[in-house]
Each structure stands twice: as structure tokens, then as C-alpha cells.
Amino acid sequence: MVRIAMNKSLSCLLCYLLLCYSSLLWSAEPRQTPSAAEQARTLTLLNQPVVMLQARFGLTTPEERVQRIVRNLRALNQQDLQQPVEIVTITRYQQQAVVFSVNKKPFMLLAQGDLDEGDDLNLAQASQLVLQRLENLRHALIEQYSPHYLLLSALKSVAGAAVLGAVCWFAYRSLGYVRRYYAARKQQNKPGLFPQLRSFLGQFEVRLYAWLMGILCVLGFYLWISWVLRLFPYTRIWGMELGEYTLQLFQHIGLVILSALPGLCVVIAIFVITGFIVKLIKVVLLRVERGTLHIPGLHPQTVGVTRKLISVAVWLFALSAAYPFLPGANSLAFKGISVFFGLMLTLGSAGVMNHAMSGLVLTYSRALRKGDIIRVADNEGVVSEVGMLATKIVTRENYEVTVPNAVVVSGRIINLSTHDGNPGVNMTTSVTIGYDTPWRQVHAMLELAASRTHGLDNSQPPIVRQLSLMDWYIAYELQVRLQAGQSLAGVRSELHAHIQDVFNEFDVQIMSPNFVNQPELPVLVKKERWYSPPAQP
């Protein structure tokens, strides 16, 4: 009973191995790229082709002959597999043939009609090749199903797992060392190749090393699992398929890289030439910006934006020229990415392009520039940046206000900076005085207050204007020029203080009432009350 059970188990195992066909054809007789019909006529053992039958005997097809060989092999027991494969040359069906047998039990017939003229083999040579393959498979099958082999395979698997664990442990410990090394260098502030980018480069190198160690661990696990699967008979086919898939993948990647090298060389050449052209344009335009070179149509104030536009145009042209040479440029993936970016650009370009074109209008109209003091809507301050999409203003409260360029262009821009070649800012302030005060006196008092104010340009005399004659008072405007670098808010505050002091000194009230009766006494602040507590002189 034990022998019958063993024979049945061995027969089932042989049936499983015989039915696992593969396209890995390394013999002379089977096809390298077999079709479905050719695979059905090929005898395959342990995932390796042995021979492809082509002869037809009466009503028996080559496919039926392969199935008959499978049934004969199922009938073999363990004692039969211990005996070597033997061949005997006979004449059958009016042609020369070779019979293969194990322990005097024939299981396969190879006839002259099974040979292919393209193989350049005679029957004796073909039978020797088939015999060698069968012997190798028989020894491998006996060895793999022996308890000694299974135990040895298990020990090899454990040893491989230990080696894999050691590799992963080394990767983890070395990553910790690399992190501590760069952290110590950062604390010691050691100069490197790029001192200004050392902190960023340190983090980048740590992350790159972490990625490499992760790839190493994953690759090691893949190789280990493929190797372990090949050690055991029930999983040998899976291990061989994993190994074949990896080998084919690397071969495909290598072929893709080799085929892409000419195109990559062309792309690199295009980008190198483009970079040289962009640098040459930058050198020329920087000279224009500094005033050492004059080119008709280019103003120093607009050269910065012009340089950026030219650089973008040149790089876009280079990208268009290099696109056909990029690997996979004609693939569906590249086309899908192009459609995606085109859709995103279409959906988001309306507002962005509006602000961008408004920025170009501001730049090339020279309505304002960096460092100008402007007034836009309710914002007044110094222009800190004129960007492609927005303009940034630093107000007197030291707040940074970002105004979209479309808003700046659509509104009124008041530029307080002088553009006559002299530095400084024109500042105006207004005051309303009643008709009972002589206008000449008001002019003189405003000019006196301006002369007492620090930070004003004394080479430019103050200007007093009478803006309007209202129903109850006259509106006066004082215009002065600030020295370069002076704070507009600070000078204006000091000027207002001096105006109040001067008008109080000469008994002129600053009041614009809509009154019914003239007040009996002027509304003034006497000089002796200028420093009333808590004020101090």
C-alpha cells in the first residue's frame, strides 16, 4: 500500500511538471519562438523543452504522441527513475527510429520523420541530444526530491535570509552614520564645494543615499526570493520565471538606453548651445542695464524683463527643437502628458495671462520701477518689486502690500518720485484757512514751516498753490521735495508739526468751520501752552 501511494504521488508530480510548458527554448530541435501548435507538439519537462515531434504515424498525430509519452512517464515509479535512460535503434513504420526506455520500460519513440532539415542533425546526433537532456532532468529530479536535498535547500534558504538581513542591517546603520556625519558638518559649519548650498546639498545627499539603500534592500529581497523558489521543486517554475523576467527587464532597459543614446546626445548638444546663447545675451543686456552699452529701443529700466522674456523664448525654441529627439517622444505617455499640460494651461491661463500682460505693460510703459514711491488706490509706499504677475509695495507702516498687475493697470497710478534726473520725492500737503487771513501771510507761513523741516531738499524752493476758493475757506497746497533716502511718512509728520507751530506763532487759526456766527476769539494755541503736560520742550 505504501508503494502504491508513493507511485501515485510521483505520478501526479510528473504530470504536473510535464504540463508546465515554457517558451524558453534552448535546444536545437524545438522552435525558438514556437506557436501554439508547435508548443502542443513539444515535450517539456521541468519547464525545459526536450524535443518537438513532427512525424505522423497513421491516425496518430504528433500531439497525441506527446500525450502518450506523458501517460508512459506517469506509469514510472521511484525505482525506475533510479535507472539510467537507454536508447535502442530500431526500424519501425518503414523508417529508422530510436526508442527511449528506463528500467527496460520504453516510453518514447524518436523517428527520422521527427527531425527538421534546418537543424542539420541526423537521427543519432538528435537522439544523443535528447538523451543528455533526459539524463540531466532525471538526476535533477532525483536530487530535488531526496530528503537530503530538501534539508540542504532549507539550510541554504535560512543562510540566504541571514545574509539578506545582514545587508539590510548594514544599510540601516550606514544611513544613520551618514545622517550623523552631515549633521555634524552642519553644526561645525565646515565650508564645502558650495558653502551657500551646503545645508541643502547635505539633505539631498542623505536622501539620495537613503534611496540607494532602499533599492539595494528591495533588489536583495527579490534575488533572495527568486533563488529560494528555485531550490524547491514545487516552486522551481516560479523562481525561473522571476529570474527570466528580471533578466528580460534589464535587457530591455539596456536596449532602450542604448537606442536612446544618439537622441540624448543631440538633446544635450542643443541644450549646451542654448545655454551658451542665453549667457551671451545676458552679458550684452547686463551692459545695457549698467549703461555701458546703448542699443536703440532698449531702456535700462526694461532690460531685466526683456532678458527674462528672451531667455524664456530661446529655451522654448530649444525645447521644441529637442522634443523629437527625447526618448519616447512619440509614445502615448508623452502625448497624454502633452494633452494634460495643454488642458491645465488652457484652464488656468486666462487670469494668469491677464496679470502677465499687465506686468509687461507696466514694465515697458515705464510707469513705475523698483524704488519709486507711488500711490495706488488706498496704498502709498515704496515699490519693492515689479513682478510678472503682481507689484509689491512697502507702506509707511512697513507692511508689504501685493497688488495684482491687472488691478494696477486698471486704476490710477500716482508716482511721487521725480523723473527729471534728480533724486528725491515730491511731497504735497494741504491746509484750509479762512478768508480773514491774508493769502500772502499764509504763503509765507507755509514756506517758513518748510524751511524748519529736516530732510527736505533746500535747493528746490517750496511751492504754495491756492487750489480752490470754497464757501467758507481757501484751500492751500504746499509742495516740497524730499532728499534722497528720506522717509516720506516721517518728513510729512514733521512738516505738519511745524505748520501748526508757525500758524500758532502768528495767531492764525487752522480751522475750516461751517459756522453760523464768527467766533468772538480766534481758535489758537498760545505759545506758552505748546508744551502743556505731559509734553516736554
Side-chain angles (χ1 to χ4, degrees), residues 393-441:
I393 304 172
V394 179
T395 64
R396 62 175 177 268
E397 298 91 352
N398 203 24
Y399 298 154
E400 186 177 71
V401 180
T402 301
V403 185
N405 287 334
V407 177
V408 177
V409 172
S410 62
R412 185 178 65 170
I413 305 173
I414 301 176
N415 197 328
L416 304 179
S417 300
T418 59
H419 288 266
D420 55 358
N422 297 321
V425 177
N426 289 327
M427 182 182 68
T428 59
T429 186
S430 60
V431 64
T432 55
I433 307 298
Y435 282 96
D436 55 345
T437 303
W439 64 267
R440 295 175 180 84
Q441 184 184 15

